[in-house]
Amino acid sequence: MIIAIDGTAAAGKSTLARRVAQTYGLPHLDTGSLYRAVARDVMAAGHSLEDARAAAFAAKRIDPSTLGDPNLRLRGNGEAASVVAAIPDVRAALLEFQRAFANQPGGAVVEGRDIGTVVCPDAEAKIFVTASAESRAARRHRELVGYGVEITEQVVLAEIKARDKRDSERAVSPLKPAEDALLLDTTELDIEKAVAAALHLIDKVA
Ligand code: C5P
């Protein structure tokens, strides 16, 4: 069974995907980490994030064993990832790895922005997770303050809106729910309720 979990930034996708994967005993791929790793490698090589050739070069050489690097989750890296993610050759270079992961025997939980629409259009279960920008900003702000980052909620909100806009308006594989995706709005839900709602949606189709 392939379970595709897509959605907006900071809507709780990753926690949800991890918990769904645990429940079904399936491997889990956070595809955002691929784009984050490309951004990291482009910057480390001294290139601009808009440099399509450098970004495609980095995407072809991604080492999957580095995807657990906690630095990939640092603030700012999500924005950097969304810049390289708009480059068609970067997306093309990462497609095969994502599809191979999804299609391993037994299936997988794959989370991202275009899993239900492009990477795994035939996934058995597709969930599109979102929440109001304000509630996502409030959650992300709490998380950042917990890590000791000094930042206002307004700045976090502006960053989230900018990332949503870039992800939704890009020409290739824009962020949008697949036509057959089940929508899950987590604005009013804590993580336990969101997990329960996701499992309920998946049980109906799986
Ligand atoms: O999910 P996460 O916040 O880690 O993703 C970082 C960025 O990577 C997203 O804002 C998006 O631009 C890009 N991304 C994407 N397609 C995916 C996963 C992530 O374009 N499947």
Side-chain angles (χ1 to χ4, degrees):
M1 174 169 64
I2 298 176
I3 302 176
I5 301 188
D6 290 302
T8 49
K13 268 192 323 298
S14 288
T15 312
L16 209 60
R18 262 196 309 274
R19 294 280 299 271
V20 167
Q22 263 169 19
T23 305
Y24 286 94
L26 292 173
H28 162 226
L29 176 65
D30 165 10
T31 63
S33 66
L34 293 167
Y35 294 92
R36 287 170 182 267
V38 172
R40 171 199 60 196
D41 294 351
V42 169
M43 289 188 287
H47 296 292
S48 140
L49 292 168
E50 277 95 8
D51 183 335
R53 276 182 55 179
F57 184 85
K60 286 182 193 138
R61 279 158 190 76
I62 282 301
D63 174 0
S65 70
T66 67
L67 298 179
D69 175 1
N71 290 323
L72 292 181
R73 309 305 311 173
L74 292 180
R75 183 180 153 244
N77 197 254
E79 279 69 37
S82 80
V83 176
V84 297
I87 300 171
D89 286 347
V90 167
R91 305 199 73 84
L94 297 176
L95 197 53
E96 198 185 324
F97 175 77
Q98 296 175 78
R99 287 208 173 128
F101 188 97
N103 286 300
Q104 59 188 291
V109 176
V110 186
E111 69 164 282
R113 300 290 187 291
D114 63 338
I115 309 305
T117 51
V118 175
V119 178
C120 304
D122 298 328
E124 281 80 3
K126 299 181 185 179
I127 299 193
F128 191 88
V129 192
T130 193
S132 72
E134 288 71 20
S135 73
R136 290 184 284 133
R139 281 182 213 158
R140 178 56 57 89
H141 181 249
R142 270 199 304 276
E143 192 180 283
L144 289 170
V145 169
Y147 293 141
V149 178
E150 281 183 33
I151 188 168
T152 67
E153 207 168 307
Q154 272 88 342
V155 171
V156 178
L157 179 61
E159 286 179 356
I160 282 183
K161 285 185 170 167
R163 188 132 70 97
D164 285 353
K165 186 167 153 54
R166 196 181 293 123
D167 287 348
S168 313
E169 292 181 357
R170 69 179 172 227
V172 56
S173 301
L175 168 69
K176 64 162 190 237
E179 277 177 14
D180 51 349
L182 305 160
L183 300 184
L184 178 58
D185 187 325
T186 63
T187 304
E188 306 287 339
L189 304 180
D190 62 22
I191 187 63
E192 294 307 326
K193 289 201 176 106
V195 170
L199 293 175
H200 183 70
L201 289 176
I202 295 165
D203 280 342
K204 281 205 284 194
V205 292

